[in-house]
Amino acid sequence: MTEKEGTQPGQTVCSDTTDDGVSMVDILEEEKQLESDANAVLGGSDDNNCTYPNGYVGRQALYACTTCGNGREVAGICLACSLNCHEGHQLYELYTKRLFRCDCGNSKFPDMKCKLFPDKDATNKHNRYNQNFKGVYCICSRPYPDPEDDVEDEMIQCVVCEDWLHGRHLATKFPPDQDFHEMICADCMKKCDFLWAYIPQCKNTCVVSKAEVGSPDDKVEVDIKSEEKTEGSLTEEVSVKKDDNGDLHASDSCLLKSLHNCEVVPGDSSVFWPDGWRKKLCQCASCLELYSTLDVGFLVDETDPVQHYEDKGKAQPTSSQYDTGMQALSSMDRVQLGEMIHGYNDMKNSLREYLKTFAENKRIVREEDIREFFGQMEARKRRRTDNS
């Protein structure tokens, strides 16, 4: 037993005795990170109450049930319904979708009623569905993970259509600072071609060619008129100036009109946008009308970005297993700590070997398989106890 460097005064932990060993604090630290990641994904979602009464929720975790779907229309259900109404079903985890109202038990599910909120309209006419609700993603329309694809690849979500695309199908490596970039796919950039005018406004924007599949290092050079032709120039409509940060601003009420003087040539490309790019979009009356017509008004909603959703989830007060575990550790003596660590390492190694056979034979792990494993572990524990 040793005092682990970096722990709080009075906290004693078991040191590693083998290369594969792990301390209980390491276990709890890993659990803490998993809790944080889970809170971010769920965004503070309620796991007990259906979100239907809240209307079209700005952003929420959603699931699609293939057990109930049975080839019928696509539908989405909230977290609470996935746990209470579809327990044991095969679900597609959709991560988050915006402005969606829970479908559980409506006309898309003719053979069931929602247990949490059965009184629902037959349909949610403002819901938007894409191929993700059928369990496929990207321009290749494949499942994720794809059992027939052995290429390791990251996927990233388009902030407009909310589909997920493989990095290789974006024909680019992700920007170095991935944490604060948002991506708009080539098809959505074509739909929202006004966004090309904002590229000079957004420093470090990464534009990549959809056509250059197989050449991830290639980037598109955006054709922009020289700065001398845009800064301070006059047109019949408006003059354009730059502030101390180098951002363009119009003297009339519409910045977009001014930016068109830069003559960015739209391309067949996906675009990675840097942090804060949405704040640079014009919000005059004519532009807001344009966003509404294109059904992209969410672009100027400060609560829409996934980063805002995840931060909200992380800020939710929760009962942390890390804190509970650390409190339990402080009350244990050294013998109990040693037994706990050895027990955990034994379970970890045994579970790895047990699941290895499923992976090698490409078998699905069922609930009864997990029960069988822990039954075997309990039997082994009893035999050790009887022999001691």
Side-chain angles (χ1 to χ4, degrees), residues 150-181:
D150 57 3
V151 178
E152 291 188 10
D153 197 358
E154 256 186 292
M155 299 192 78
I156 188 167
Q157 189 179 34
C158 172
V159 300
V160 175
C161 67
E162 297 191 292
D163 196 0
W164 292 81
L165 293 93
H166 293 99
R168 64 185 184 274
H169 293 155
L170 290 172
T172 184
K173 293 179 179 178
F174 297 123
D177 196 345
Q178 298 178 32
D179 291 339
F180 60 82
H181 279 74

PDB file of all heavy atoms in Angstrom, residues 150-181:
ATOM      1  N   ASP A 150     -13.649  -2.103 -42.562  1.00  0.00           N
ATOM      2  CA  ASP A 150     -12.578  -2.241 -41.580  1.00  0.00           C
ATOM      3  C   ASP A 150     -11.646  -1.028 -41.557  1.00  0.00           C
ATOM      4  O   ASP A 150     -10.586  -1.055 -40.932  1.00  0.00           O
ATOM      5  CB  ASP A 150     -11.763  -3.511 -41.840  1.00  0.00           C
ATOM      6  CG  ASP A 150     -11.173  -3.558 -43.255  1.00  0.00           C
ATOM      7  OD1 ASP A 150     -11.360  -2.584 -43.999  1.00  0.00           O
ATOM      8  OD2 ASP A 150     -10.527  -4.569 -43.597  1.00  0.00           O
ATOM      9  N   VAL A 151     -12.041   0.063 -42.228  1.00  0.00           N
ATOM     10  CA  VAL A 151     -11.237   1.284 -42.241  1.00  0.00           C
ATOM     11  C   VAL A 151     -11.594   2.139 -41.030  1.00  0.00           C
ATOM     12  O   VAL A 151     -12.771   2.460 -40.816  1.00  0.00           O
ATOM     13  CB  VAL A 151     -11.482   2.100 -43.532  1.00  0.00           C
ATOM     14  CG1 VAL A 151     -10.671   3.397 -43.493  1.00  0.00           C
ATOM     15  CG2 VAL A 151     -11.124   1.278 -44.755  1.00  0.00           C
ATOM     16  N   GLU A 152     -10.595   2.474 -40.225  1.00  0.00           N
ATOM     17  CA  GLU A 152     -10.842   3.352 -39.083  1.00  0.00           C
ATOM     18  C   GLU A 152     -11.047   4.775 -39.582  1.00  0.00           C
ATOM     19  O   GLU A 152     -10.217   5.317 -40.299  1.00  0.00           O
ATOM     20  CB  GLU A 152      -9.666   3.297 -38.103  1.00  0.00           C
ATOM     21  CG  GLU A 152      -9.527   1.968 -37.382  1.00  0.00           C
ATOM     22  CD  GLU A 152      -8.484   2.016 -36.289  1.00  0.00           C
ATOM     23  OE1 GLU A 152      -8.016   3.131 -35.972  1.00  0.00           O
ATOM     24  OE2 GLU A 152      -8.129   0.954 -35.768  1.00  0.00           O
ATOM     25  N   ASP A 153     -12.156   5.368 -39.212  1.00  0.00           N
ATOM     26  CA  ASP A 153     -12.479   6.700 -39.721  1.00  0.00           C
ATOM     27  C   ASP A 153     -13.386   7.412 -38.743  1.00  0.00           C
ATOM     28  O   ASP A 153     -14.273   6.796 -38.144  1.00  0.00           O
ATOM     29  CB  ASP A 153     -13.178   6.588 -41.084  1.00  0.00           C
ATOM     30  CG  ASP A 153     -13.181   7.894 -41.862  1.00  0.00           C
ATOM     31  OD1 ASP A 153     -12.666   8.903 -41.331  1.00  0.00           O
ATOM     32  OD2 ASP A 153     -13.693   7.901 -42.991  1.00  0.00           O
ATOM     33  N   GLU A 154     -13.157   8.695 -38.566  1.00  0.00           N
ATOM     34  CA  GLU A 154     -14.027   9.507 -37.735  1.00  0.00           C
ATOM     35  C   GLU A 154     -15.242   9.934 -38.533  1.00  0.00           C
ATOM     36  O   GLU A 154     -15.198  10.033 -39.757  1.00  0.00           O
ATOM     37  CB  GLU A 154     -13.279  10.757 -37.247  1.00  0.00           C
ATOM     38  CG  GLU A 154     -12.852  10.695 -35.809  1.00  0.00           C
ATOM     39  CD  GLU A 154     -12.239  12.004 -35.343  1.00  0.00           C
ATOM     40  OE1 GLU A 154     -11.164  12.338 -35.822  1.00  0.00           O
ATOM     41  OE2 GLU A 154     -12.860  12.670 -34.493  1.00  0.00           O
ATOM     42  N   MET A 155     -16.341  10.207 -37.824  1.00  0.00           N
ATOM     43  CA  MET A 155     -17.516  10.750 -38.475  1.00  0.00           C
ATOM     44  C   MET A 155     -17.819  12.100 -37.845  1.00  0.00           C
ATOM     45  O   MET A 155     -17.561  12.316 -36.658  1.00  0.00           O
ATOM     46  CB  MET A 155     -18.713   9.803 -38.331  1.00  0.00           C
ATOM     47  CG  MET A 155     -18.507   8.450 -38.959  1.00  0.00           C
ATOM     48  SD  MET A 155     -20.060   7.498 -39.076  1.00  0.00           S
ATOM     49  CE  MET A 155     -20.829   8.273 -40.492  1.00  0.00           C
ATOM     50  N   ILE A 156     -18.362  13.008 -38.638  1.00  0.00           N
ATOM     51  CA  ILE A 156     -18.700  14.329 -38.137  1.00  0.00           C
ATOM     52  C   ILE A 156     -20.070  14.710 -38.659  1.00  0.00           C
ATOM     53  O   ILE A 156     -20.454  14.343 -39.782  1.00  0.00           O
ATOM     54  CB  ILE A 156     -17.643  15.376 -38.545  1.00  0.00           C
ATOM     55  CG1 ILE A 156     -17.910  16.709 -37.849  1.00  0.00           C
ATOM     56  CG2 ILE A 156     -17.568  15.545 -40.052  1.00  0.00           C
ATOM     57  CD1 ILE A 156     -16.780  17.693 -37.946  1.00  0.00           C
ATOM     58  N   GLN A 157     -20.826  15.442 -37.839  1.00  0.00           N
ATOM     59  CA  GLN A 157     -22.208  15.774 -38.169  1.00  0.00           C
ATOM     60  C   GLN A 157     -22.301  17.124 -38.861  1.00  0.00           C
ATOM     61  O   GLN A 157     -21.702  18.105 -38.418  1.00  0.00           O
ATOM     62  CB  GLN A 157     -23.045  15.786 -36.895  1.00  0.00           C
ATOM     63  CG  GLN A 157     -24.537  15.911 -37.126  1.00  0.00           C
ATOM     64  CD  GLN A 157     -25.317  15.884 -35.825  1.00  0.00           C
ATOM     65  OE1 GLN A 157     -24.873  16.376 -34.798  1.00  0.00           O
ATOM     66  NE2 GLN A 157     -26.500  15.281 -35.852  1.00  0.00           N
ATOM     67  N   CYS A 158     -23.043  17.175 -39.944  1.00  0.00           N
ATOM     68  CA  CYS A 158     -23.328  18.449 -40.603  1.00  0.00           C
ATOM     69  C   CYS A 158     -24.313  19.218 -39.743  1.00  0.00           C
ATOM     70  O   CYS A 158     -25.328  18.667 -39.300  1.00  0.00           O
ATOM     71  CB  CYS A 158     -23.921  18.204 -41.993  1.00  0.00           C
ATOM     72  SG  CYS A 158     -24.536  19.707 -42.813  1.00  0.00           S
ATOM     73  N   VAL A 159     -24.042  20.498 -39.495  1.00  0.00           N
ATOM     74  CA  VAL A 159     -24.900  21.270 -38.594  1.00  0.00           C
ATOM     75  C   VAL A 159     -26.197  21.708 -39.268  1.00  0.00           C
ATOM     76  O   VAL A 159     -27.088  22.217 -38.594  1.00  0.00           O
ATOM     77  CB  VAL A 159     -24.159  22.510 -38.042  1.00  0.00           C
ATOM     78  CG1 VAL A 159     -22.928  22.084 -37.271  1.00  0.00           C
ATOM     79  CG2 VAL A 159     -23.793  23.496 -39.138  1.00  0.00           C
ATOM     80  N   VAL A 160     -26.336  21.507 -40.558  1.00  0.00           N
ATOM     81  CA  VAL A 160     -27.577  21.884 -41.244  1.00  0.00           C
ATOM     82  C   VAL A 160     -28.493  20.670 -41.394  1.00  0.00           C
ATOM     83  O   VAL A 160     -29.580  20.625 -40.826  1.00  0.00           O
ATOM     84  CB  VAL A 160     -27.291  22.530 -42.609  1.00  0.00           C
ATOM     85  CG1 VAL A 160     -28.603  22.794 -43.369  1.00  0.00           C
ATOM     86  CG2 VAL A 160     -26.531  23.848 -42.429  1.00  0.00           C
ATOM     87  N   CYS A 161     -28.064  19.645 -42.135  1.00  0.00           N
ATOM     88  CA  CYS A 161     -28.924  18.475 -42.357  1.00  0.00           C
ATOM     89  C   CYS A 161     -28.842  17.471 -41.209  1.00  0.00           C
ATOM     90  O   CYS A 161     -29.676  16.574 -41.117  1.00  0.00           O
ATOM     91  CB  CYS A 161     -28.566  17.790 -43.671  1.00  0.00           C
ATOM     92  SG  CYS A 161     -26.930  17.000 -43.697  1.00  0.00           S
ATOM     93  N   GLU A 162     -27.834  17.594 -40.358  1.00  0.00           N
ATOM     94  CA  GLU A 162     -27.625  16.742 -39.182  1.00  0.00           C
ATOM     95  C   GLU A 162     -27.325  15.286 -39.519  1.00  0.00           C
ATOM     96  O   GLU A 162     -27.408  14.414 -38.655  1.00  0.00           O
ATOM     97  CB  GLU A 162     -28.803  16.832 -38.205  1.00  0.00           C
ATOM     98  CG  GLU A 162     -28.995  18.235 -37.635  1.00  0.00           C
ATOM     99  CD  GLU A 162     -29.968  18.271 -36.480  1.00  0.00           C
ATOM    100  OE1 GLU A 162     -31.175  18.027 -36.720  1.00  0.00           O
ATOM    101  OE2 GLU A 162     -29.539  18.536 -35.353  1.00  0.00           O
ATOM    102  N   ASP A 163     -26.981  15.005 -40.772  1.00  0.00           N
ATOM    103  CA  ASP A 163     -26.482  13.672 -41.104  1.00  0.00           C
ATOM    104  C   ASP A 163     -25.014  13.593 -40.662  1.00  0.00           C
ATOM    105  O   ASP A 163     -24.357  14.608 -40.453  1.00  0.00           O
ATOM    106  CB  ASP A 163     -26.593  13.414 -42.611  1.00  0.00           C
ATOM    107  CG  ASP A 163     -26.470  11.933 -42.977  1.00  0.00           C
ATOM    108  OD1 ASP A 163     -26.297  11.108 -42.050  1.00  0.00           O
ATOM    109  OD2 ASP A 163     -26.534  11.624 -44.179  1.00  0.00           O
ATOM    110  N   TRP A 164     -24.534  12.359 -40.499  1.00  0.00           N
ATOM    111  CA  TRP A 164     -23.142  12.122 -40.120  1.00  0.00           C
ATOM    112  C   TRP A 164     -22.378  11.615 -41.329  1.00  0.00           C
ATOM    113  O   TRP A 164     -22.859  10.741 -42.054  1.00  0.00           O
ATOM    114  CB  TRP A 164     -23.070  11.087 -38.996  1.00  0.00           C
ATOM    115  CG  TRP A 164     -23.629  11.581 -37.706  1.00  0.00           C
ATOM    116  CD1 TRP A 164     -24.949  11.640 -37.347  1.00  0.00           C
ATOM    117  CD2 TRP A 164     -22.899  12.096 -36.592  1.00  0.00           C
ATOM    118  NE1 TRP A 164     -25.076  12.151 -36.082  1.00  0.00           N
ATOM    119  CE2 TRP A 164     -23.838  12.438 -35.584  1.00  0.00           C
ATOM    120  CE3 TRP A 164     -21.536  12.287 -36.335  1.00  0.00           C
ATOM    121  CZ2 TRP A 164     -23.453  12.965 -34.353  1.00  0.00           C
ATOM    122  CZ3 TRP A 164     -21.155  12.814 -35.107  1.00  0.00           C
ATOM    123  CH2 TRP A 164     -22.100  13.149 -34.134  1.00  0.00           C
ATOM    124  N   LEU A 165     -21.180  12.173 -41.557  1.00  0.00           N
ATOM    125  CA  LEU A 165     -20.388  11.798 -42.727  1.00  0.00           C
ATOM    126  C   LEU A 165     -19.012  11.303 -42.308  1.00  0.00           C
ATOM    127  O   LEU A 165     -18.407  11.839 -41.375  1.00  0.00           O
ATOM    128  CB  LEU A 165     -20.245  12.974 -43.696  1.00  0.00           C
ATOM    129  CG  LEU A 165     -21.545  13.405 -44.383  1.00  0.00           C
ATOM    130  CD1 LEU A 165     -22.217  14.515 -43.607  1.00  0.00           C
ATOM    131  CD2 LEU A 165     -21.291  13.837 -45.813  1.00  0.00           C
ATOM    132  N   HIS A 166     -18.513  10.278 -43.024  1.00  0.00           N
ATOM    133  CA  HIS A 166     -17.160   9.802 -42.804  1.00  0.00           C
ATOM    134  C   HIS A 166     -16.154  10.880 -43.225  1.00  0.00           C
ATOM    135  O   HIS A 166     -16.383  11.584 -44.211  1.00  0.00           O
ATOM    136  CB  HIS A 166     -16.887   8.544 -43.638  1.00  0.00           C
ATOM    137  CG  HIS A 166     -17.678   7.348 -43.215  1.00  0.00           C
ATOM    138  ND1 HIS A 166     -18.836   6.953 -43.858  1.00  0.00           N
ATOM    139  CD2 HIS A 166     -17.485   6.454 -42.206  1.00  0.00           C
ATOM    140  CE1 HIS A 166     -19.312   5.860 -43.279  1.00  0.00           C
ATOM    141  NE2 HIS A 166     -18.520   5.541 -42.263  1.00  0.00           N
ATOM    142  N   GLY A 167     -15.052  10.947 -42.501  1.00  0.00           N
ATOM    143  CA  GLY A 167     -14.023  11.922 -42.860  1.00  0.00           C
ATOM    144  C   GLY A 167     -13.522  11.724 -44.278  1.00  0.00           C
ATOM    145  O   GLY A 167     -13.318  12.689 -45.016  1.00  0.00           O
ATOM    146  N   ARG A 168     -13.375  10.463 -44.701  1.00  0.00           N
ATOM    147  CA  ARG A 168     -12.852  10.224 -46.057  1.00  0.00           C
ATOM    148  C   ARG A 168     -13.850  10.617 -47.131  1.00  0.00           C
ATOM    149  O   ARG A 168     -13.473  10.846 -48.280  1.00  0.00           O
ATOM    150  CB  ARG A 168     -12.437   8.761 -46.211  1.00  0.00           C
ATOM    151  CG  ARG A 168     -13.550   7.729 -46.097  1.00  0.00           C
ATOM    152  CD  ARG A 168     -12.925   6.324 -46.141  1.00  0.00           C
ATOM    153  NE  ARG A 168     -13.895   5.250 -46.135  1.00  0.00           N
ATOM    154  CZ  ARG A 168     -14.430   4.731 -45.028  1.00  0.00           C
ATOM    155  NH1 ARG A 168     -14.105   5.233 -43.842  1.00  0.00           N
ATOM    156  NH2 ARG A 168     -15.288   3.724 -45.096  1.00  0.00           N
ATOM    157  N   HIS A 169     -15.130  10.689 -46.782  1.00  0.00           N
ATOM    158  CA  HIS A 169     -16.126  11.108 -47.760  1.00  0.00           C
ATOM    159  C   HIS A 169     -16.325  12.618 -47.765  1.00  0.00           C
ATOM    160  O   HIS A 169     -17.088  13.143 -48.572  1.00  0.00           O
ATOM    161  CB  HIS A 169     -17.451  10.373 -47.503  1.00  0.00           C
ATOM    162  CG  HIS A 169     -17.366   8.912 -47.765  1.00  0.00           C
ATOM    163  ND1 HIS A 169     -18.185   7.994 -47.163  1.00  0.00           N
ATOM    164  CD2 HIS A 169     -16.519   8.202 -48.556  1.00  0.00           C
ATOM    165  CE1 HIS A 169     -17.869   6.772 -47.586  1.00  0.00           C
ATOM    166  NE2 HIS A 169     -16.866   6.878 -48.419  1.00  0.00           N
ATOM    167  N   LEU A 170     -15.639  13.288 -46.842  1.00  0.00           N
ATOM    168  CA  LEU A 170     -15.543  14.747 -46.909  1.00  0.00           C
ATOM    169  C   LEU A 170     -14.305  15.149 -47.680  1.00  0.00           C
ATOM    170  O   LEU A 170     -14.092  16.328 -47.949  1.00  0.00           O
ATOM    171  CB  LEU A 170     -15.470  15.345 -45.495  1.00  0.00           C
ATOM    172  CG  LEU A 170     -16.740  15.269 -44.661  1.00  0.00           C
ATOM    173  CD1 LEU A 170     -16.453  15.725 -43.235  1.00  0.00           C
ATOM    174  CD2 LEU A 170     -17.830  16.118 -45.269  1.00  0.00           C
ATOM    175  N   ALA A 171     -13.467  14.173 -47.990  1.00  0.00           N
ATOM    176  CA  ALA A 171     -12.227  14.394 -48.728  1.00  0.00           C
ATOM    177  C   ALA A 171     -11.298  15.367 -48.010  1.00  0.00           C
ATOM    178  O   ALA A 171     -10.699  16.228 -48.632  1.00  0.00           O
ATOM    179  CB  ALA A 171     -12.527  14.895 -50.144  1.00  0.00           C
ATOM    180  N   THR A 172     -11.192  15.213 -46.709  1.00  0.00           N
ATOM    181  CA  THR A 172     -10.279  16.088 -45.981  1.00  0.00           C
ATOM    182  C   THR A 172      -9.903  15.466 -44.657  1.00  0.00           C
ATOM    183  O   THR A 172     -10.591  14.598 -44.146  1.00  0.00           O
ATOM    184  CB  THR A 172     -10.914  17.456 -45.688  1.00  0.00           C
ATOM    185  OG1 THR A 172      -9.935  18.285 -45.062  1.00  0.00           O
ATOM    186  CG2 THR A 172     -12.098  17.331 -44.753  1.00  0.00           C
ATOM    187  N   LYS A 173      -8.766  15.899 -44.133  1.00  0.00           N
ATOM    188  CA  LYS A 173      -8.464  15.646 -42.737  1.00  0.00           C
ATOM    189  C   LYS A 173      -9.146  16.726 -41.931  1.00  0.00           C
ATOM    190  O   LYS A 173      -9.282  17.861 -42.378  1.00  0.00           O
ATOM    191  CB  LYS A 173      -6.950  15.685 -42.506  1.00  0.00           C
ATOM    192  CG  LYS A 173      -6.193  14.546 -43.186  1.00  0.00           C
ATOM    193  CD  LYS A 173      -4.709  14.662 -42.922  1.00  0.00           C
ATOM    194  CE  LYS A 173      -3.967  13.509 -43.578  1.00  0.00           C
ATOM    195  NZ  LYS A 173      -2.491  13.631 -43.377  1.00  0.00           N
ATOM    196  N   PHE A 174      -9.591  16.392 -40.714  1.00  0.00           N
ATOM    197  CA  PHE A 174     -10.264  17.385 -39.896  1.00  0.00           C
ATOM    198  C   PHE A 174      -9.296  18.505 -39.546  1.00  0.00           C
ATOM    199  O   PHE A 174      -8.088  18.282 -39.414  1.00  0.00           O
ATOM    200  CB  PHE A 174     -10.815  16.755 -38.615  1.00  0.00           C
ATOM    201  CG  PHE A 174     -11.860  15.721 -38.874  1.00  0.00           C
ATOM    202  CD1 PHE A 174     -11.724  14.424 -38.404  1.00  0.00           C
ATOM    203  CD2 PHE A 174     -12.984  16.034 -39.604  1.00  0.00           C
ATOM    204  CE1 PHE A 174     -12.690  13.465 -38.648  1.00  0.00           C
ATOM    205  CE2 PHE A 174     -13.963  15.089 -39.854  1.00  0.00           C
ATOM    206  CZ  PHE A 174     -13.814  13.800 -39.385  1.00  0.00           C
ATOM    207  N   PRO A 175      -9.798  19.732 -39.387  1.00  0.00           N
ATOM    208  CA  PRO A 175      -8.938  20.844 -38.977  1.00  0.00           C
ATOM    209  C   PRO A 175      -8.221  20.507 -37.676  1.00  0.00           C
ATOM    210  O   PRO A 175      -8.735  19.722 -36.861  1.00  0.00           O
ATOM    211  CB  PRO A 175      -9.930  21.999 -38.780  1.00  0.00           C
ATOM    212  CG  PRO A 175     -11.094  21.639 -39.630  1.00  0.00           C
ATOM    213  CD  PRO A 175     -11.185  20.144 -39.595  1.00  0.00           C
ATOM    214  N   PRO A 176      -7.027  21.081 -37.457  1.00  0.00           N
ATOM    215  CA  PRO A 176      -6.249  20.749 -36.257  1.00  0.00           C
ATOM    216  C   PRO A 176      -7.015  20.962 -34.958  1.00  0.00           C
ATOM    217  O   PRO A 176      -6.937  20.158 -34.045  1.00  0.00           O
ATOM    218  CB  PRO A 176      -5.048  21.704 -36.353  1.00  0.00           C
ATOM    219  CG  PRO A 176      -4.945  22.037 -37.798  1.00  0.00           C
ATOM    220  CD  PRO A 176      -6.352  22.035 -38.317  1.00  0.00           C
ATOM    221  N   ASP A 177      -7.765  22.043 -34.875  1.00  0.00           N
ATOM    222  CA  ASP A 177      -8.517  22.338 -33.656  1.00  0.00           C
ATOM    223  C   ASP A 177      -9.957  21.912 -33.864  1.00  0.00           C
ATOM    224  O   ASP A 177     -10.819  22.700 -34.215  1.00  0.00           O
ATOM    225  CB  ASP A 177      -8.438  23.821 -33.333  1.00  0.00           C
ATOM    226  CG  ASP A 177      -8.858  24.116 -31.899  1.00  0.00           C
ATOM    227  OD1 ASP A 177      -9.474  23.227 -31.279  1.00  0.00           O
ATOM    228  OD2 ASP A 177      -8.583  25.213 -31.413  1.00  0.00           O
ATOM    229  N   GLN A 178     -10.221  20.610 -33.660  1.00  0.00           N
ATOM    230  CA  GLN A 178     -11.539  20.066 -33.963  1.00  0.00           C
ATOM    231  C   GLN A 178     -12.596  20.473 -32.956  1.00  0.00           C
ATOM    232  O   GLN A 178     -13.781  20.405 -33.233  1.00  0.00           O
ATOM    233  CB  GLN A 178     -11.474  18.541 -34.009  1.00  0.00           C
ATOM    234  CG  GLN A 178     -10.548  17.993 -35.091  1.00  0.00           C
ATOM    235  CD  GLN A 178     -10.486  16.484 -35.053  1.00  0.00           C
ATOM    236  OE1 GLN A 178     -11.452  15.818 -34.713  1.00  0.00           O
ATOM    237  NE2 GLN A 178      -9.349  15.921 -35.381  1.00  0.00           N
ATOM    238  N   ASP A 179     -12.192  20.875 -31.775  1.00  0.00           N
ATOM    239  CA  ASP A 179     -13.142  21.073 -30.691  1.00  0.00           C
ATOM    240  C   ASP A 179     -14.156  22.173 -30.975  1.00  0.00           C
ATOM    241  O   ASP A 179     -15.270  22.134 -30.475  1.00  0.00           O
ATOM    242  CB  ASP A 179     -12.400  21.390 -29.392  1.00  0.00           C
ATOM    243  CG  ASP A 179     -11.639  20.175 -28.875  1.00  0.00           C
ATOM    244  OD1 ASP A 179     -12.013  19.058 -29.272  1.00  0.00           O
ATOM    245  OD2 ASP A 179     -10.696  20.354 -28.101  1.00  0.00           O
ATOM    246  N   PHE A 180     -13.784  23.177 -31.757  1.00  0.00           N
ATOM    247  CA  PHE A 180     -14.720  24.281 -31.911  1.00  0.00           C
ATOM    248  C   PHE A 180     -15.090  24.546 -33.368  1.00  0.00           C
ATOM    249  O   PHE A 180     -15.550  25.620 -33.721  1.00  0.00           O
ATOM    250  CB  PHE A 180     -14.169  25.558 -31.263  1.00  0.00           C
ATOM    251  CG  PHE A 180     -12.849  26.030 -31.836  1.00  0.00           C
ATOM    252  CD1 PHE A 180     -12.813  26.770 -33.002  1.00  0.00           C
ATOM    253  CD2 PHE A 180     -11.668  25.746 -31.199  1.00  0.00           C
ATOM    254  CE1 PHE A 180     -11.615  27.208 -33.527  1.00  0.00           C
ATOM    255  CE2 PHE A 180     -10.461  26.186 -31.705  1.00  0.00           C
ATOM    256  CZ  PHE A 180     -10.435  26.917 -32.876  1.00  0.00           C
ATOM    257  N   HIS A 181     -14.892  23.581 -34.242  1.00  0.00           N
ATOM    258  CA  HIS A 181     -15.315  23.746 -35.623  1.00  0.00           C
ATOM    259  C   HIS A 181     -16.680  23.101 -35.835  1.00  0.00           C
ATOM    260  O   HIS A 181     -17.012  22.087 -35.220  1.00  0.00           O
ATOM    261  CB  HIS A 181     -14.310  23.109 -36.577  1.00  0.00           C
ATOM    262  CG  HIS A 181     -13.120  23.961 -36.854  1.00  0.00           C
ATOM    263  ND1 HIS A 181     -12.113  24.155 -35.947  1.00  0.00           N
ATOM    264  CD2 HIS A 181     -12.775  24.688 -37.946  1.00  0.00           C
ATOM    265  CE1 HIS A 181     -11.195  24.953 -36.466  1.00  0.00           C
ATOM    266  NE2 HIS A 181     -11.583  25.286 -37.671  1.00  0.00           N
TER     267      HIS A 181
END
